[in-house]
Amino acid sequence: MDRRDRLIARARQGYRLAYGVEPSRFVAAPGRINLIGEHADYTDGYELLCAIDRETIVAVGPPAPTTREKLFEAVALDMGDMASARDRFDLLAPIRPGENNWQNHVRGVVQALGRYGQRVRPMRIAIAGDVPIGTGLSSSAAFGVAVALACSDYCGLGLSTDLLAKAAQLAEQDFTGHAGGITAQLASAASTAGHGLLVDCRSLDHMAIPIHPDLAITAIDTGVRRDPAIDIVAARRAECAAAAEHFAVKALRDVDAAMLLDAQTSLDPVLLARTRHVVGEAARIEWIGEGLVRGDTALLAEVMREAHLSLSQDFAASLPQIDQLAELVADALGDAGGVRLSGAGLGGCLVAISSAIATGAIDEALARYNRAATGLPARAERFQPSAGAAPIELE
């Protein structure tokens, strides 16, 4: 039994224990890792992401035949024991934002679908996942997209991948207080196996970018957790908005290298550094895409090193211990691949793209780092570029 079969079995068993019957169908939505394009969502830039072979699976079935209420019932198998990890709510009653918990995330998806004109019928679901939580791999996006797809599939809504992503994002914004962009949800909903997903954060147009089969994608949990009291996204969003105002543009996406050069003496040094990262990241997207298609690890090494330095120095999104780990991995890989910070920053994970035969060098670098580390150990996990959300066809 492979990883997915075990996850399906867990969702099926949880459904049976909760409701006493078999589910009628299953759907899945993957997590994602960001390959390049940090903080591009609120600067209207580009992101290149990759869905991973870790996912949220939802077992789905009809409501209890004895109930006369219009109930939506859910059980989240990763959120405690069977008694505490259950929820039910009336689909005819107002659904209002509440605490940041999984129950309100489910309710938020249903409410968001209603705001998009989609009617969700009474149903029962059980949710199980294996996307690592808290490491920047979008377990929350996978959760929201999977619930949205479960509703679409069971209720016959036939929702597009874009609408699945929009509903999941709206649920996070309104019901869990997360003000992030939509790219994680798009990657979860719309990715193609063996490809990355290039997203234009202004138009939401997206296209698949082939990833050479000789490449390996490694997520490195740095063991560093961001201080919840520090909202780096809100701070950088405000700084980038101030810089865009200086340039009299809608967003920093509209600033080019010539405009940046002209602003060297007139723009506040901090805002100049933030702008330099955004302009540079836009150029790096193209080079990373070329490296992925060609399997050019030397190119990936060069551009990813530059990307990490930009995040660390110009965007102040890294920390000394993360920089140290990135440098150890980069030196170990040499021209066999690159590594950079992935996610909002000040904690979380690094992403390495390397030759598949060079992944042992990453493990050796982590072992050296962990021998001297005083906090949580760094851990590496390899992922396959995977397909986006879809119903599961069982044999």
Side-chain angles (χ1 to χ4, degrees), residues 139-184:
S139 58
S140 183
F143 186 102
V145 171
V147 172
L149 179 59
C151 295
S152 175
D153 189 57
Y154 178 77
C155 301
L157 304 179
L159 300 182
S160 67
T161 55
D162 284 10
L163 191 50
L164 291 174
K166 288 177 180 178
Q169 182 205 24
L170 186 59
E172 288 204 53
Q173 288 180 333
D174 286 2
F175 279 76
T176 71
H178 176 66
I182 195 174
T183 54

Side-chain angles (χ1 to χ4, degrees), residues 248-336:
V249 295
K250 180 181 178 182
L252 287 186
R253 170 211 180 113
D254 302 309
V255 176
D256 59 26
M259 295 166 67
L260 181 62
L261 184 62
D262 288 343
Q264 294 293 311
T265 57
S266 60
L267 184 58
D268 172 84
V270 170
L271 300 187
L272 184 69
R274 306 298 186 251
T275 307
R276 187 163 52 238
H277 167 74
V278 173
V279 173
E281 198 80 340
R284 286 186 286 270
I285 285 273
E286 195 170 330
W287 289 110
I288 291 291
E290 184 175 335
L292 290 174
V293 173
R294 289 167 32 195
D296 188 337
T297 59
L299 177 61
L300 291 169
E302 178 184 354
V303 179
M304 293 179 77
R305 185 185 290 272
E306 181 182 299
H308 182 84
L309 287 174
S310 178
L311 276 169
S312 178
Q313 297 174 4
D314 283 340
F315 225 65
S318 190
L319 295 168
Q321 59 267 49
I322 296 176
D323 291 342
Q324 179 191 2
L325 179 56
E327 185 175 0
L328 281 172
V329 174
D331 289 347
L333 285 172
D335 285 344

Side-chain angles (χ1 to χ4, degrees), residues 25-342:
R25 66 193 75 197
F26 298 84
V27 304
R32 73 91 180 93
I33 192 164
N34 202 13
L35 303 180
I36 190 76
E38 300 306 340
H39 295 268
D41 50 356
Y42 55 81
T43 57
D44 281 2
Y46 294 86
E47 286 190 25
L48 181 51
L49 313 99
C50 174
I52 59 175
D53 53 337
R54 299 294 184 274
E55 59 198 335
T56 296
I57 287 181
V58 182
V60 188
T66 56
T67 182
R68 296 182 180 180
E69 299 173 284
K70 301 296 184 182
L71 292 180
F72 189 107
E73 296 187 74
V75 56
L77 304 173
D78 305 311
M79 302 299 177
D81 58 38
M82 192 61 71
S84 63
R86 297 188 65 167
D87 189 36
R88 61 193 304 191
F89 56 95
D90 187 347
L91 289 169
L92 298 181
I95 302 174
R96 306 190 190 283
E99 296 179 6
N100 180 6
N101 55 32
W102 75 265
Q103 293 93 336
N104 279 309
H105 199 165
V106 173
R107 294 176 183 223
V109 170
V110 173
Q111 196 253 22
L113 290 172
R115 287 169 62 178
Y116 281 111
Q118 306 297 324
R119 181 174 173 269
V120 175
R121 304 201 314 261
M123 54 192 286
R124 296 185 292 194
I125 64 174
I127 310 161
D130 63 359
V131 183
I133 296 173
T135 58
L137 297 175
S138 294
S139 58
S140 183
F143 186 102
V145 171
V147 172
L149 179 59
C151 295
S152 175
D153 189 57
Y154 178 77
C155 301
L157 304 179
L159 300 182
S160 67
T161 55
D162 284 10
L163 191 50
L164 291 174
K166 288 177 180 178
Q169 182 205 24
L170 186 59
E172 288 204 53
Q173 288 180 333
D174 286 2
F175 279 76
T176 71
H178 176 66
I182 195 174
T183 54
Q185 291 85 358
L186 271 177
S188 181
S191 289
T192 302
H195 293 68
L197 189 74
L198 177 64
V199 180
D200 181 333
C201 296
R202 173 169 286 172
S203 68
L204 298 187
D205 291 340
H206 47 82
M207 63 181 293
I209 303 295
I211 296 177
H212 196 283
D214 290 344
L215 294 176
I217 295 172
T218 303
I220 302 169
D221 180 355
T222 64
V224 181
R225 299 293 176 257
R226 183 166 63 249
D227 183 343
I230 301 175
D231 190 344
I232 183 175
V233 173
R236 297 299 174 270
R237 185 190 291 268
E239 290 163 350
C240 289
E245 184 177 355
H246 171 88
F247 287 103
V249 295
K250 180 181 178 182
L252 287 186
R253 170 211 180 113
D254 302 309
V255 176
D256 59 26
M259 295 166 67
L260 181 62
L261 184 62
D262 288 343
Q264 294 293 311
T265 57
S266 60
L267 184 58
D268 172 84
V270 170
L271 300 187
L272 184 69
R274 306 298 186 251
T275 307
R276 187 163 52 238
H277 167 74
V278 173
V279 173
E281 198 80 340
R284 286 186 286 270
I285 285 273
E286 195 170 330
W287 289 110
I288 291 291
E290 184 175 335
L292 290 174
V293 173
R294 289 167 32 195
D296 188 337
T297 59
L299 177 61
L300 291 169
E302 178 184 354
V303 179
M304 293 179 77
R305 185 185 290 272
E306 181 182 299
H308 182 84
L309 287 174
S310 178
L311 276 169
S312 178
Q313 297 174 4
D314 283 340
F315 225 65
S318 190
L319 295 168
Q321 59 267 49
I322 296 176
D323 291 342
Q324 179 191 2
L325 179 56
E327 185 175 0
L328 281 172
V329 174
D331 289 347
L333 285 172
D335 285 344
V339 62
R340 56 176 287 278
L341 183 63
S342 180

Side-chain angles (χ1 to χ4, degrees), residues 332-358:
L333 285 172
D335 285 344
V339 62
R340 56 176 287 278
L341 183 63
S342 180
L346 301 185
C349 73
L350 300 167
V351 58
I353 310 173
S354 68
S355 165
I357 61 175

